[in-house]
Amino acid sequence: MIRVAVIGCAGRMGSTVVSAVSAAEDMQLVCGVDPYGAQADFPVYSTLAEALENEQFDVMVDFTMPSVVADNIRTALPAGVNCVVGTTGMSTETLEELAALAPEGTCLFYAPNFTTGAVLMMQFAEAAAPYFPEAEVIEFHHCNKKDAPSGTAVRTAQMIAAARDFTSSAPGSETEIEGAEGARGALIDGVPVHSVRSMGYVATQEVIFGSMGQTLTIRHDSWDRTSYMPGVLLGIRKAPDCSGLIVGLENFMS
Ligand code: NAD
């Protein structure tokens, strides 16, 4: 049995993880952590430190907020608790800094996107990148999302940039008109990224490649938060057998 604590257990993702872990035959939901936790049929603590004082668990799953996730990891890793992290907004430098706190045999697994479809979208984008002079990422999320651009969009842009030895011709050379700065999106490693926030979406992303007389669009839609759960459960199963920093669900997909 893998003993699991869910951090952010009262949130949209955390409550979905609670249901998925509870239904998994090889996992035991030991407790949740959430300062705004409602009554539940499992122990809920308001801080991770309090949970560690009272319970024993092998893995903590974190779907909280960009402002608190690093502190949670800083608390869990030195205690030998494997971290499966979905909370977005941390830089690569921060992840590396945090992973250095992991004792041998303890893993920090971060996936900017836990859906298999989004991982494949990123891999298809990486494969297409060398063949198209232009690439742009447009991501669409629900309007309660706290960070922009999404972790998936950042990672997609980084993968596109790493897969080609040129930058797009347009970005940087155009002039955004006064009062409409940002119209061309944010440049991440030379790739323009645009963030749409609206009611009606869970998470959607399009990657548009352009070449002479042709475009290629790769699109992924998450219609429901259950789409993330097979990836989260896979992370919980794999992390205890790993050590150090692992970024991306693709490392566990085979
Ligand atoms: P949410 O606001 O619904 O939930 C966050 C929860 O964290 C809240 O219940 C809040 O009370 C709790 N919280 C705040 N501070 C805390 C602390 N110190 N300790 C414990 N809990 C704390 O947010 P959400 O929609 O569930 O998203 C959570 C995060 O997951 C966001 O960063 C989002 O971008 C990310 N996300 C990642 C993926 C992925 O595949 N990697 C998918 C969806 C969302």
Side-chain angles (χ1 to χ4, degrees):
M1 277 284 180
I2 309 172
R3 297 167 300 175
V4 181
V6 178
I7 322 303
C9 63
R12 285 175 289 260
M13 286 297 290
S15 54
T16 315
V17 174
V18 163
S19 304
V21 168
S22 303
E25 286 180 357
D26 56 342
M27 294 177 198
Q28 180 197 352
L29 177 69
V30 171
C31 64
V33 175
D34 200 306
Y36 307 105
Q39 275 208 325
D41 56 4
F42 53 90
V44 178
Y45 299 93
S46 48
T47 66
L48 179 55
E50 212 184 317
L52 283 165
E53 274 169 29
N54 290 283
E55 310 283 352
Q56 290 201 321
F57 41 90
D58 310 299
V59 177
M60 75 126 189
V61 182
D62 189 300
F63 282 97
T64 58
M65 287 161 43
S67 56
V68 303
V69 59
D71 275 346
N72 286 340
I73 297 169
R74 229 172 252 127
T75 305
L77 279 181
V81 174
N82 298 284
C83 297
V84 172
V85 178
T87 309
T88 48
M90 275 182 296
S91 67
T92 309
E93 292 74 35
T94 303
L95 285 167
E96 284 169 354
E97 199 183 295
L98 292 168
L101 304 171
E104 185 57 34
T106 308
C107 176
L108 169 54
F109 171 53
Y110 166 65
N113 199 307
F114 277 95
T115 60
T116 45
V119 170
L120 291 169
M121 170 187 63
M122 288 188 261
Q123 290 179 343
F124 297 156
E126 188 177 41
Y131 303 101
F132 290 85
E134 314 295 347
E136 307 230 354
V137 177
I138 311 177
E139 52 98 343
F140 309 73
H141 279 84
H142 58 91
C143 34
N144 292 319
K145 184 168 174 56
K146 299 217 165 45
D147 53 329
S150 71
T152 306
V154 171
R155 182 136 171 88
T156 307
Q158 290 167 340
M159 287 169 74
I160 290 170
R164 61 186 194 179
D165 56 6
F166 56 85
T167 51
S168 300
S169 57
S173 60
E174 64 281 70
T175 306
E176 290 163 337
I177 61 170
E178 205 180 314
E181 291 82 4
R184 290 289 294 117
L187 269 191
I188 295 179
D189 289 0
V191 179
V193 175
H194 312 263
S195 298
V196 177
R197 296 289 174 266
S198 170
M199 291 164 69
Y201 285 108
V202 174
T204 286
Q205 180 170 292
E206 285 183 5
V207 188
I208 303 171
F209 289 100
S211 180
M212 287 225 302
Q214 61 170 334
T215 58
L216 168 67
T217 302
I218 304 167
R219 177 182 168 115
H220 175 256
D221 299 281
S222 272
W223 299 116
D224 191 275
R225 288 184 178 82
T226 53
S227 62
Y228 300 102
M229 294 307 117
V232 173
L233 297 183
L234 183 62
I236 295 170
R237 289 186 180 111
K238 295 280 188 179
D241 296 330
C242 300
S243 204
L245 178 63
I246 298 179
V247 177
L249 188 67
E250 60 275 20
N251 292 288
F252 293 154
M253 282 166 62
S254 56

